[in-house]
């Protein structure tokens, strides 16, 4: 039986879980990863008045005084805005809000912390967005279920693999809340957009951009090496990029009725 160490942490207004499948004691690694997540929250929270982002918004923090991690994330946001043709942005109503990159980046960095402590097989999950390392058990890939946004008890498909990330943006939990930056109104053509790829920093931001982009996101993702997409339309029609695992490469209707938890 595979040894397993788990930890659950509330942070950034959501629930994070760390699931390590390597033998040994991982308390120190988990403590450092959790401390990192809370540090990120303290820097980037748009709700905490003393966060770096809140101070930047109020004009109290000049670029030369930014923490190095803040500067890095803001640079990432600019790069990803270009990569997504403007469908991802760190500015809403002219106000800075890089949170669309922050969570995925924080999770990916937490995974790197665990790896630095010697863990080769683990999953870090933040609100359903997951960075996976290695295997779930010797010789066994990780398995991640992709839920039907109209019926979260129903799994549309299961993604399997090693060393990958998966993120879903959609209406299942918060309704139509993702704004298309090019139109300024909530995006409504899709019910969910799931992206898989090697890095959760990109995958999470790309899922948001894909949702805003609508059905055209499939062609966009097809052009990005190492990434695949699965879209569910507002009418429940499932489409995917040609190599999305476990899904036929043609539209497949489902009955209208976000990744499910990593397998045990």
């Amino acid at each position: 039986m595979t040894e397993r160490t788990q930890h659950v942490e509330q942070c950034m207004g959501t629930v994070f879980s760390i699931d390590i499948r390597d033998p040994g004691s991982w308390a120190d690694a988990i403590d450092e990863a959790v401390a990192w997540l809370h540090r990120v929250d303290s820097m980037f929270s748009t709700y905490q008045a003393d966060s770096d982002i809140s101070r930047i918004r109020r004009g109290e923090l000049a670029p030369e005084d930014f923490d190095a991690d803040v500067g890095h994330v803001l640079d990432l946001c600019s790069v990803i805005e270009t990569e997504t043709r403007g469908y991802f942005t760190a500015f809403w109503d002219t106000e800075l809000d890089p949170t669309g990159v922050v969570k995925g980046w924080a999770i990916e960095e937490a995974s790197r912390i665990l790896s630095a402590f010697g863990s080769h097989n683990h999953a870090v999950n933040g609100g359903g967005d997951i960075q996976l390392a290695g295997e779930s058990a010797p010789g066994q890939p990780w398995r991640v279920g992709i839920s039907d946004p109209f019926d979260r008890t129903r799994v549309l498909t299961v993604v399997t693999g090693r060393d990958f990330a998966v993120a879903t943006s959609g209406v299942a939990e918060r309704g139509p809340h993702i704004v298309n930056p090019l139109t300024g109104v909530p995006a409504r053509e899709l019910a969910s957009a799931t992206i898989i790829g090697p890095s959760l920093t990109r995958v999470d931001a790309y899922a948001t951009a894909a949702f805003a982009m609508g059905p055209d996101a499939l062609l966009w993702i097809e052009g990005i090496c190492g990434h695949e997409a699965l879209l569910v339309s507002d009418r429940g029609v499932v489409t995917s990029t040609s190599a999305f695992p476990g899904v036929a490469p043609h539209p497949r209707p489902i009955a209208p009725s976000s990744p499910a938890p990593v397998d045990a």
Side-chain angles (χ1 to χ4, degrees):
M1 184 175 181
T2 303
E3 290 196 46
R4 185 174 186 179
T5 303
Q6 295 177 286
H7 178 84
V8 176
E9 188 76 14
Q10 296 249 357
C11 186
M12 301 185 200
T14 191
V15 177
F16 290 81
S17 64
I18 296 172
D19 185 354
I20 300 175
R21 301 296 178 93
D22 302 293
S25 175
W26 298 99
D28 290 345
I30 290 171
D31 285 348
E32 186 158 332
V34 166
W36 160 254
L37 293 173
H38 284 286
R39 178 174 179 269
V40 170
D41 193 28
S42 72
M43 289 189 293
F44 290 96
S45 173
T46 58
Y47 299 100
Q48 298 180 32
D50 59 347
S51 72
D52 293 59
I53 292 302
S54 293
R55 293 176 64 201
I56 292 169
R57 284 176 159 188
R58 295 195 299 267
E60 298 172 2
L61 200 59
E64 59 269 20
D65 298 322
F66 290 176
D67 183 284
D69 285 326
V70 173
H72 174 65
V73 166
L74 296 183
D75 287 343
L76 267 176
C77 287
S78 296
V79 170
I80 293 172
E81 182 169 351
T82 299
E83 293 173 350
T84 61
R85 307 172 187 171
Y87 282 95
F88 172 90
T89 181
F91 289 90
W92 299 101
D93 294 327
T94 73
E95 193 160 49
L96 178 64
D97 183 359
T99 52
V101 162
V102 167
K103 187 177 71 169
W105 169 74
I107 292 170
E108 187 175 351
E109 291 297 319
S111 174
R112 288 199 182 101
I113 289 170
L114 299 179
S115 296
F117 272 85
S119 171
H120 302 293
N121 305 282
H122 59 257
V124 184
N125 183 334
D129 300 327
I130 313 169
Q131 184 76 51
L132 301 122
E135 303 176 316
S136 64
Q140 298 295 321
W142 289 101
R143 294 167 53 83
V144 181
I146 309 302
S147 297
D148 179 346
F150 297 103
D151 178 3
R152 291 177 64 81
T153 66
R154 181 186 182 200
V155 175
L156 296 178
T157 189
V158 175
V159 177
T160 64
R162 297 166 174 82
D163 300 314
F164 72 103
V166 57
T168 296
S169 291
V171 300
E173 293 186 0
R174 297 173 56 191
H177 67 285
I178 297 173
V179 173
N180 179 339
L182 304 188
T183 64
V185 299
R188 297 183 181 275
E189 292 181 282
L190 299 180
S192 69
T194 298
I195 309 294
I196 59 174
S199 158
L200 191 59
T201 302
R202 286 301 198 284
V203 164
D204 193 16
Y206 286 176
T208 302
F211 189 91
M213 195 178 297
D216 290 344
L218 287 186
L219 184 60
W220 168 61
I221 290 291
E222 287 278 15
I224 303 176
C225 182
H227 293 74
E228 301 295 337
L230 181 143
L231 309 180
V232 181
S233 78
D234 60 340
R235 298 191 176 188
V237 176
V238 177
T239 54
S240 68
T241 50
S242 57
F244 195 97
V247 178
H250 54 76
R252 178 167 60 88
I254 62 173
S257 3
S258 319
V262 178
D263 67 328

